[in-house]
């Protein structure tokens, strides 16, 4: 699964391709737990969101290997 | 159908005239505009420049949602939302929102809703450059 | 002291850039603008043009009062209030109000206060020209 | 006393110079009664105000012969 990174998260997370099956990741929540475990700096963020196919995703959304998945730190546009 | 929504995320200077010309219409009596510029200070620290990074494909989708809500629920006739990305210097425009409406109260309400929501939902990130370092705005509590 | 208030009542075309340039400032992050244009219809009747008449000396005084309230009580940094008089055609700008502020909520509030109050207190009168006659707006109940 | 007229009122009121003493006008209220009596069309207005020296005037304000007095129909700028 392709992972797109932005802002401060790009400075922490280095991998942009995650094998869902190998890492036992089925849902957005599983992905978050995987990331938090591997990159504990994520705990210092105010919050972060996962977008799947350019839409904010709920924790229970099931991920597919062909999804475009992005990790979004707190937005600060405008 | 006439275009009612104009969404742009771009690396070049934002132009008020371009937004104004898009939203103005002989049937509209009131236009509200918001222009967000880069301030020279934040919390007392001097800023030298900002860099905006966007998840552009998703930002355009989220900006379109905001624009549609302005038209379908807030009484806007037409709306233009432009956001700059890349390096932006002090006093340069980071965002312009222009809304036309038959009556002015709706134009103000829609314009304020649009900038408030943009700052909450649109995946764009700002990095502030100070004299002695840089940091991503809002990232940590 | 730096000028914070720019008040104009004039017979020539109003320019958004002129108002924007006056109010923008490196210390301000948000600008709200209101532009009132001449609509082609009012209550279903087609309008051909408007004429604005002003008691100019008093209008300038009343507009200055509004501007001072915006700065002293509404958190505006700078404000520009331009009103056109004489004949104004469809889609032309009758009024522009631009307000800068450190934070956007104050800019919106001051801008809306300024246009609402201008319409209540500033001695300017609008005559609408329809296909079959003309009348002074708001004169009779 | 010089009288300045605007908008629809200019179409009704024709005099621009009123002798206060001759017409027994002391206050803004006296002036209003004088005008209403002479130009009953003023009753059809939504409202109208008197400005003295370019400031909205209360009914009890005393008028002087050198004051700049204006009759203001309901404003409709913006």
């Amino acid at each position: 699964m392709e992972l797109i990174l932005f802002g401060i998260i790009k400075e922490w997370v280095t991998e942009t391709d995650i094998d869902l099956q190998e890492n036992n990741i089925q849902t957005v929540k599983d992905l978050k737990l995987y990331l938090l475990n591997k990159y504990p700096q994520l705990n210092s963020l105010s919050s972060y969101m996962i977008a799947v196919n350019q839409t904010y995703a709920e924790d229970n959304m099931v991920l597919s290997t062909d999804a475009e998945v992005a990790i979004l730190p707190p937005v600060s546009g405008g | 159908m006439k275009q009612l929504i104009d969404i742009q995320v771009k690396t070049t200077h934002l132009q008020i005239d371009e937004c104004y010309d898009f939203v103005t219409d002989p049937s509209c009596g009131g236009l509200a505009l918001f222009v967000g510029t880069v301030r020279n200070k934040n919390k007392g620290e001097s800023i030298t420049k900002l860099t905006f990074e966007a998840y552009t494909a998703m930002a355009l989708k989220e900006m379109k949602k905001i624009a549609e809500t302005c038209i379908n629920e807030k009484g806007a006739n037409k709306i233009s939302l432009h956001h700059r990305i890349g390096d932006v210097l002090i006093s340069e425009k980071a965002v312009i929102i222009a809304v036309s409406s038959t009556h002015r109260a709706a134009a103000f309400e829609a314009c304020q809703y649009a900038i408030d929501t943009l700052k909450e939902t649109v995946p764009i990130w700002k990095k502030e450059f100070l004299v002695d370092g840089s940091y991503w705005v809002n990232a940590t509590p």
Side-chain angles (χ1 to χ4, degrees), chain A, chain B:
Chain A
M1 184 204 68
E2 185 200 2
L3 197 60
I4 312 181
L5 307 165
F6 294 100
I8 198 167
I9 291 178
K10 204 158 52 182
E11 299 175 3
W12 297 334
V13 177
T14 47
E15 59 195 317
T16 56
D17 192 60
I18 294 179
D19 189 316
L20 296 179
Q21 208 165 358
E22 187 179 299
N23 292 294
N24 200 23
I25 298 170
Q26 293 183 316
T27 64
V28 165
K29 180 152 198 186
D30 295 340
L31 175 63
K32 281 183 174 175
L33 291 172
Y34 167 84
L35 291 167
L36 276 175
N37 185 51
K38 202 155 170 192
Y39 308 98
Q41 306 100 312
L42 289 171
N43 278 309
S44 70
L45 289 177
S46 308
S47 68
Y48 73 100
M49 302 287 284
I50 302 285
V52 176
N53 296 328
Q54 303 159 10
T55 303
Y56 286 109
E58 302 286 337
D59 275 0
N60 59 5
M61 178 181 270
V62 175
L63 293 169
S64 65
T65 50
D66 62 349
E68 178 180 313
V69 177
I71 321 181
L72 314 179
V75 303
S76 51
Chain B
M1 209 189 72
K2 223 176 357 179
Q3 277 299 119
L4 304 179
I5 292 174
D6 163 43
I7 307 284
Q8 295 185 36
V9 171
K10 58 186 191 177
T11 55
T12 51
H13 285 273
L14 304 187
Q15 307 289 349
I16 296 177
D17 281 358
E18 210 180 296
C19 297
Y20 178 85
D21 290 347
F22 180 84
V23 300
T24 193
D25 191 284
S27 71
C28 94
L31 274 96
L33 290 103
F34 175 78
V35 182
T37 54
V38 175
R39 274 187 292 163
N40 59 2
K41 280 191 197 302
N42 192 7
K43 293 165 192 158
E45 297 260 29
S46 287
I47 295 167
T48 55
K49 68 162 186 174
L50 296 186
T51 294
F52 284 98
E53 181 181 344
Y55 183 8
T56 305
M58 183 175 170
L60 292 169
K61 280 191 188 180
E62 290 293 325
M63 287 161 81
K64 185 156 174 275
K65 278 187 206 166
I66 294 171
E68 286 168 348
T69 301
C70 286
I71 287 174
N72 297 330
E73 296 173 30
K74 307 280 177 189
N77 287 2
K78 289 186 184 176
I79 181 165
S80 184
L81 284 170
H82 289 195
H83 204 298
R84 179 113 177 255
I85 53 173
D87 283 2
V88 188
L89 305 181
I90 305 301
S91 285
E92 288 184 356
K93 300 171 192 79
V95 61
I96 300 177
I97 297 178
V99 178
S100 62
S101 182
T102 312
H103 297 288
R104 71 183 184 282
F108 275 112
E109 197 197 327
C111 190
Q112 197 156 8
Y113 166 83
I115 181 63
D116 289 351
T117 310
L118 182 149
K119 283 175 173 273
E120 282 172 13
T121 66
V122 176
I124 295 179
W125 298 273
K126 176 161 57 186
K127 193 173 195 173
E128 278 183 4
F129 290 79
L130 310 174
V131 176
D132 56 356
S134 66
Y135 67 101
W136 290 100
V137 176
N138 282 358
T140 52

